[in-house]
Amino acid sequence: MKQLIVALGNPGTEYANTRHNVAWLVLDHLKNSGSLAWKEKFKGFFATDSESVFLKPQTFMNLSGESVVPAAQFFKVAPENILVIHDELDLPYGTIAFKKGGGSAGHNGLKSISQLLGTPNYMRLRVGIGRPAVGTVSNWVLSDFSSEEQIQLNDYLDATAKAVELYQSVGYDKAASRFSRKALIQTP
């Protein structure tokens, strides 16, 4: 049975390395990322391997459901076999957590997916970006990682990609038990 692994982000070079696009960066760190052949469809880019369909919606974040739902319907993937990777303000940088269903916690990408899918009962992989010490949340998520964060960013992305690969091979429950609110890197 195919899984749909969705990485949320915003299109455009100005957003490429922002905190809001951390999920896209995670997919780029999968060990098979170099062999994935990306095609444009479903208002996004998708690629497949033997276990999964990967999707990077090219709608803006708050319209993510317009990409996810057609892809899920086309590949006949039930909500419980959808994993949405997204940035998470409520987790510190360097920490990830799997989550089953639930609310959107103000994340417009999740809100769009839940609304158009008709259910919030899909899996999530929350990738911690922390909250801003000063300034607005919108400026924070749309900003690049700090120079201090960039020192460990590749390690963080590699470790998060391993969590995605574990999800692919052994399923949600085992991956979630191994990576429940787990700090993947030492932060200063």
Side-chain angles (χ1 to χ4, degrees):
M1 176 183 313
K2 285 265 186 213
Q3 308 158 336
L4 176 59
I5 298 177
V6 179
L8 298 186
N10 278 324
T13 55
E14 68 270 32
Y15 301 110
N17 294 307
T18 63
R19 290 177 176 88
H20 228 13
N21 282 28
V22 69
W24 286 7
L25 299 173
V26 168
L27 288 193
D28 294 341
H29 280 254
L30 294 172
K31 66 181 172 213
N32 70 344
S33 67
S35 64
L36 293 175
W38 293 91
K39 299 173 188 154
E40 193 169 351
K41 194 173 180 169
F42 316 114
K43 294 186 181 181
F45 292 108
F46 80 97
T48 59
D49 67 12
S50 59
E51 293 118 14
S52 306
V53 176
F54 300 96
L55 178 67
K56 292 180 181 180
Q58 297 296 299
T59 60
F60 281 90
M61 186 70 76
N62 60 349
L63 301 175
S64 297
E66 293 179 8
S67 177
V68 174
V69 171
Q73 290 170 340
F74 181 85
F75 289 105
K76 297 177 176 45
V77 179
E80 61 270 14
N81 293 319
I82 298 173
L83 176 69
V84 176
I85 308 166
H86 65 90
D87 59 309
E88 178 59 62
L89 288 161
D90 292 328
L91 287 175
Y93 175 79
T95 301
I96 65 170
F98 281 93
K99 182 179 179 198
K100 242 183 216 186
S104 66
H107 195 292
N108 290 328
L110 296 177
K111 196 179 298 180
S112 171
I113 294 166
S114 296
Q115 183 178 23
L116 294 178
L117 199 56
T119 181
N121 296 325
Y122 51 89
M123 308 308 137
R124 297 106 189 264
L125 177 56
R126 303 162 63 215
V127 183
I129 60 167
R131 285 194 173 271
V134 295
T136 66
V137 165
S138 59
N139 285 344
W140 177 255
V141 300
L142 295 176
S143 67
D144 289 347
F145 289 97
S146 71
S147 54
E148 288 176 351
E149 290 169 328
Q150 288 182 21
I151 292 168
Q152 295 177 299
L153 184 58
N154 278 332
D155 291 341
Y156 185 24
L157 296 171
D158 285 343
T160 305
K162 285 184 178 126
V164 173
E165 291 161 356
L166 187 67
Y167 166 83
Q168 283 185 275
S169 62
V170 300
Y172 175 86
D173 291 332
K174 288 182 180 173
S177 69
R178 176 142 179 230
F179 288 99
S180 181
R181 289 181 92 66
K182 181 166 183 171
L184 299 178
I185 57 172
Q186 294 294 322
T187 53

